[in-house]
Amino acid sequence: METQFYILLSLKTTQGYVDYGQYFFGNDREAAYNLFRQLKGDPGMAASCLLHIDLMETVDSLPVKIKSICCTLDELGANCKLIAKEIFRLKNLEEMP
């Protein structure tokens, strides 16, 4: 089974954390790790914050959290822009002859 990588967006509610978005990288471990290192946020506050960004990997079809950061709304906006640009770049490079 092929390992898949994705970034998971979640926010804290009164009932717990709710996932509201995912960005998929496919099986490109290096691209996923490199992009996650560029994201703005605080890895130390990930357990108690309102907005989470998690680097996830599927192992035997089960999700595994690799890294997590906490971010502000402004950081989240900048991160989503960076993620979208990078995925666009990666997907277009894959399709070039």
Side-chain angles (χ1 to χ4, degrees):
M1 173 135 254
E2 189 174 272
T3 300
Q4 298 290 311
F5 296 90
Y6 61 97
I7 288 178
L8 180 65
L9 306 176
S10 59
L11 58 93
K12 190 172 187 176
T13 68
T14 56
Q15 288 81 32
Y17 284 96
V18 175
D19 301 336
Y20 67 90
Q22 294 178 335
Y23 293 95
F24 291 94
F25 287 93
N27 62 350
D28 194 340
R29 175 187 306 268
E30 185 177 332
Y33 276 69
N34 285 339
L35 177 61
F36 198 82
R37 280 192 288 273
Q38 296 177 54
L39 299 180
K40 297 177 182 178
D42 185 355
M45 298 295 295
S48 62
C49 73
L50 299 178
L51 299 171
H52 268 241
I53 301 178
D54 302 313
L55 177 59
M56 305 291 290
E57 176 181 359
T58 55
V59 177
D60 296 327
S61 299
L62 297 173
V64 176
K65 187 185 303 184
I66 306 300
K67 296 180 181 185
S68 186
I69 60 171
C70 174
C71 58
T72 66
L73 190 55
D74 288 337
E75 289 171 333
L76 177 64
N79 289 339
C80 287
K81 182 178 177 180
L82 178 64
I83 293 166
K85 283 173 54 176
E86 183 64 12
I87 289 176
F88 180 83
R89 186 186 69 77
L90 290 168
K91 296 303 178 186
N92 282 307
L93 286 177
E94 286 176 2
E95 296 174 11
M96 291 178 72

